[in-house]
Amino acid sequence: MVVVSQVRVRPGAAKEEIYSAARALAGIPQSAVQAAYLVKTSVDARRRGRVMFVHSVGFTLADGLEARYQDVPGCRVVTPVPYDPPTGGASLPEPPVVAGFGPAGMFCALLLAEKGYRPIVLERGGPVEERTRAVERFFQEGVLDENSNIQFGEGGAGTYSDGKLTTRIGDPRCDYVKRQLVRFGAPEEILVKAKPHIGTDLLRDVVRNIRKEILRLGGQILFDTRLTGLLVRDGVLYGVETNRAPLGCSQLVLAVGHSARDTFQMLYDAGVPFVQKPFSVGVRIEHLQQDVDRALYGPCAGDPFLPPAEYQYSLRQGEQAVYTFCMCPGGTVVAAASEQGGIVTNGMSSFARDLPNANSALVASVSGQDFGDGPFAGLAFQRRLEQSAFRLTSGWRAPCETVGSFLGTGKNVFGRVKPSYPIGVEPADLKTLFPARIADMLALGLRAFGRRHKGFDAPDALLQGPETRTSSPVRIPRGDGYECTQLAGLYPCGEGAGYAGGILSAAADGLRVAEQILIKYRPLD
């Protein structure tokens, strides 16, 4: 097909108007077009008084005509390549085991199941129906289930988020992931939006449908089943131990997520190498969504054809950085703890993004200079922040401070912005929670982003914290074939192992690892 880029139209333009503008831009006659469809859609709000939609449009043309437009400015000819990894010839003595059923483990298991390998999935949490009940009980009663919560359970941490599908990696596997998500119930618009999202409410159904497909294809999913040990002989994996029973296994995909601290320790004790990895910590900042809309859309705010406005800011100062992350328009700040005695915040929103507040992580980068040496020094640093936050308040209530108080320009008295954290908040001095360098970087970011976004540093905006689980604080080294450098048959995978940073990149990494098993072995008989 021919793809025409930079097709600019007003909000609310009908598809035929978009297609007509694309044909005019490229000089493609209507008579040559066999089919037209949107390829990508984004919002350009740089001129706040004239917000525009920017589209890429694909055209299927009559045979042989595509080549005419190869050199036309703004056009490119695209030939879709199907995703169909080959399989190998060696015999696999038993099904591969996938530990973890978040995006990496889920898409790894799905591909293995589709190719006939009948994977066995170990998930320490419950199916999404039970997990939802456990999360709601925590929100309402403050009773934490350490195995089924915002971090653990079917779908992984990504299920309880905005379901954002943005990524910086240019991997064609990401397109396959999005098509599969649509196949299992996600809205088709995620295929074309520049910043696609599914929403927590719809993601629950999607992951349930993927589970059913894996089971239909002969896979097994063992919920409430935690990986507790490795069975190794002469440096080669031959089985795994679980809290239920051991399993024979020569191929283990480790996709346990970035919060599986007890599993990391077990693996380290078993001789699996770990190295520390930089990550980021900070707070959740919360504004009124209508204020964000006015700041970014200007006079166009309130246009029914415009989505809730969203932002992404970053600032570097030497080797240090402060930035916003995981912005949730029209969403809520959520209680994301997975251990007793530690507060963790995160963000979540539904597909509609229609709640009063917007929230985002506001975080500063940290490294060994902040938390010391050793593979688990960053993990210990996370835990200290979470436990310190727990001691600042009563029960599971999150420490909260106005931006005015944090910057010294106002009092810690809540005003127009009502905190959305479900268990409740208590006023606290968040500067006492963080080392001075981190608190200073957060303050620097607030002031700098406030100059770019009117109201970002408004005195009544709220800071709730800590946000500590931005990414894994460790990495498990792996070789060119994606196997652990010290243990044949073990495949560190996804965000927890230090190789991804979001739903799409984690799912793509799960596919890469599945491909390594496919090319070595033939499907099970």
Side-chain angles (χ1 to χ4, degrees):
M1 64 179 175
V2 175
V3 176
V4 184
S5 302
Q6 292 297 311
V7 183
R8 302 174 63 83
V9 298
R10 60 178 177 80
K15 278 189 177 180
E16 188 47 52
E17 184 178 343
I18 300 169
Y19 298 158
S20 177
R23 292 195 305 271
L25 194 63
I28 299 174
Q30 172 66 60
S31 58
V33 176
Q34 295 182 338
Y37 25 85
L38 293 178
V39 174
K40 188 175 181 180
T41 295
S42 61
V43 177
D44 182 355
R46 289 174 295 179
R47 295 176 61 188
R48 294 186 306 153
R50 195 166 185 266
V51 178
M52 300 289 283
F53 276 85
V54 182
H55 303 279
S56 293
V57 178
F59 294 108
T60 301
L61 304 183
D63 289 346
L65 294 181
E66 288 88 351
R68 297 184 184 181
Y69 300 93
Q70 180 68 57
D71 298 322
V72 173
C75 296
R76 68 186 191 277
V77 177
V78 177
T79 302
V81 178
Y83 179 67
D84 187 24
T87 58
S91 175
L92 189 61
E94 62 274 304
V97 171
V98 179
F101 203 44
M106 181 171 290
F107 275 86
C108 179
L110 179 61
L111 180 57
L112 290 171
E114 288 178 334
K115 291 291 188 176
Y117 291 77
R118 302 199 300 272
I120 299 173
V121 178
L122 311 180
E123 171 52 57
R124 70 186 295 163
V128 72
E129 301 89 345
E130 296 177 11
R131 183 185 182 194
T132 297
R133 289 192 290 271
V135 169
E136 289 176 350
R137 187 182 184 201
F138 182 45
F139 288 178
Q140 295 167 10
E141 304 174 28
V143 178
L144 175 67
D145 183 330
E146 291 185 272
N147 289 311
S148 267
N149 46 60
I150 291 287
Q151 308 295 346
F152 300 134
E154 183 174 28
T159 299
Y160 284 88
S161 71
D162 190 61
K164 280 174 283 295
L165 302 178
T166 51
T167 181
R168 293 187 181 93
I169 67 171
D171 192 320
R173 295 175 184 87
C174 293
D175 291 332
Y176 169 81
V177 171
K178 288 190 284 188
R179 291 196 302 272
Q180 291 289 77
L181 290 169
V182 170
R183 173 189 171 197
F184 292 109
E188 288 194 13
E189 67 179 48
I190 69 170
L191 299 176
V192 299
K193 282 197 170 183
K195 295 182 178 180
H197 83 109
I198 301 175
T200 297
D201 49 340
L202 302 188
L203 264 173
R204 295 169 186 167
D205 291 332
V206 172
V207 300
R208 183 188 298 112
N209 291 336
I210 294 176
R211 174 226 303 171
K212 291 178 179 178
E213 179 68 0
I214 293 171
L215 295 175
R216 186 188 71 81
L217 293 169
Q220 299 179 59
I221 302 174
L222 306 180
F223 290 110
D224 304 309
T225 304
R226 185 163 45 89
L227 178 68
T228 59
L230 305 179
L231 300 175
V232 179
R233 183 184 298 115
D234 298 327
V236 178
L237 183 75
Y238 71 89
V240 297
E241 294 176 335
T242 77
N243 59 313
R244 294 179 177 271
L247 289 170
C249 166
S250 64
Q251 305 293 298
L252 171 63
V253 178
L254 187 71
V256 295
H258 60 35
S259 295
R261 294 166 173 173
D262 52 355
T263 305
F264 293 157
Q265 187 65 55
M266 177 275 292
L267 294 166
Y268 184 72
D269 292 343
V272 174
F274 282 77
V275 295
Q276 66 172 230
K277 184 176 74 63
F279 58 105
S280 301
V281 299
V283 294
R284 277 271 150 185
I285 184 167
E286 199 162 22
H287 303 90
L288 291 178
Q289 181 64 50
Q290 64 183 15
D291 290 349
V292 177
D293 291 346
R294 281 195 289 265
L296 299 184
Y297 289 154
C300 295
D303 186 320
F305 293 107
L306 289 175
E310 53 187 308
Y311 56 77
Q312 184 175 353
Y313 303 122
S314 63
L315 175 69
R316 295 201 68 85
Q317 188 176 65
E319 296 299 314
Q320 302 169 0
V322 59
Y323 59 97
T324 63
F325 170 77
C326 186
M327 195 263 173
C328 297
T332 60
V333 179
V334 295
S338 59
E339 294 180 345
Q340 299 293 340
I343 299 289
V344 182
T345 59
N346 203 341
M348 183 175 80
S349 62
S350 65
F351 177 71
R353 290 176 161 177
D354 57 358
L355 296 181
N357 288 359
N359 74 82
S360 173
L362 174 68
V363 293
S365 58
V366 293
S367 63
Q369 67 177 351
D370 300 290
F371 45 73
D373 298 327
F376 293 154
L379 188 155
F381 180 69
Q382 286 179 325
R383 185 175 276 149
R384 286 196 300 272
L385 289 177
E386 294 163 14
Q387 293 174 347
S388 295
F390 189 84
R391 292 192 294 269
L392 276 178
T393 65
S394 51
W396 291 103
R397 296 166 71 83
C400 183
E401 186 172 14
T402 64
V403 167
S405 173
F406 189 82
L407 294 178
T409 60
K411 297 182 178 180
N412 199 14
V413 178
F414 304 158
R416 296 182 311 137
V417 187
K418 308 301 180 187
S420 62
Y421 188 83
I423 304 178
V425 302
E426 288 185 14
D429 182 356
L430 289 174
K431 291 184 292 297
T432 66
L433 180 61
F434 299 102
R437 185 195 71 78
I438 296 172
D440 290 346
M441 286 298 292
L442 296 177
L444 179 70
L446 283 167
R447 295 188 178 98
F449 304 155
R451 290 190 289 271
R452 298 163 60 182
H453 170 147
K454 183 178 180 181
F456 189 88
D457 58 347
D460 62 351
L462 298 180
L463 305 177
Q464 298 160 61
E467 171 97 5
T468 52
R469 311 284 182 91
T470 54
S471 65
S472 182
V474 297
R475 176 175 285 120
I476 304 174
R478 66 187 188 187
D480 293 340
Y482 296 88
E483 283 183 286
C484 173
T485 54
Q486 300 298 316
L487 180 57
L490 176 66
Y491 298 85
C493 180
E495 193 161 348
Y499 295 99
I503 291 174
L504 272 189
S505 60
D509 200 55
L511 294 174
R512 290 189 206 103
V513 167
E515 290 165 14
Q516 296 303 309
I517 297 174
L518 295 182
I519 62 176
K520 292 179 183 177
Y521 301 100
R522 64 175 179 265
L524 294 174
D525 296 331

